[in-house]
Amino acid sequence: MRTYPQDSPRSVARLVALAMIADGHVCSREFDALERAQAQLANGLERPELQTLLRDLYEDLMMSGHLGSMGGVHLDADTLAGLMAEVEDPKLRLAVVQAWVSTIDADEHRADAETEVLQAAERCWGIGRSLR
């Protein structure tokens, strides 16, 4: 998996995107929610950069064997913890969890894989229980 600088726009955006693609299905409402979340995070990634980041994330997941045959993401706890470690700022972490919720709920269906991402926030960061 690629690494990004600590608390960088890309490390934050990748985590939000990860929740969006966790179930293997991305709809336009989720992508719109991702864009809104990026605007709220004020981290400066525009649509073309987000599309590139999503493509890179899919490539990384595919090359590392974390992308299932149906497109769902299957991350082990250590890999997910490593990705989440790239965001250390407590305010950014809370903003990521809030962005996860708005993004994964945009399609009005929360899949098990999406819930697992939220549960990782509890394990790794100690936040998220009240947002499930």
Side-chain angles (χ1 to χ4, degrees):
M1 298 283 280
R2 292 161 224 254
T3 58
Y4 296 118
Q6 204 73 40
D7 295 332
S8 70
R10 282 183 170 57
S11 62
V12 170
R14 174 172 55 188
L15 285 177
V16 177
L18 182 62
M20 181 179 80
I21 66 171
D23 65 352
H25 304 284
V26 178
C27 71
S28 62
R29 289 181 293 188
E30 287 175 318
F31 198 84
D32 292 343
L34 174 64
E35 284 187 305
R36 283 191 303 278
Q38 291 305 298
Q40 290 169 350
L41 291 168
N43 65 6
L45 293 182
E46 300 293 328
R47 189 177 195 101
E49 292 173 296
L50 287 173
Q51 290 171 331
T52 298
L53 184 124
L54 272 171
R55 187 189 69 238
D56 291 347
L57 178 57
Y58 265 109
E59 287 175 5
D60 288 349
L61 292 168
M62 192 169 37
M63 295 302 290
S64 62
H66 294 295
L67 196 61
S69 60
M70 298 297 287
V73 177
H74 305 286
L75 291 177
D76 57 85
D78 290 338
T79 301
L80 187 53
L83 295 174
M84 293 178 71
E86 289 184 352
V87 177
E88 286 188 336
D89 180 277
K91 289 180 183 175
L92 272 179
R93 286 178 171 183
L94 183 58
V96 166
V97 173
Q98 291 169 336
W100 280 346
V101 171
S102 65
T103 301
I104 64 179
D105 287 347
D107 64 357
E108 300 176 3
H109 170 74
R110 190 177 290 181
D112 290 344
E114 294 167 329
T115 298
E116 288 174 16
V117 173
L118 285 175
Q119 289 169 340
E122 286 179 41
R123 286 191 310 274
C124 296
W125 295 341
I127 55 176
R129 181 175 299 276
S130 63
L131 299 172
R132 278 195 279 145

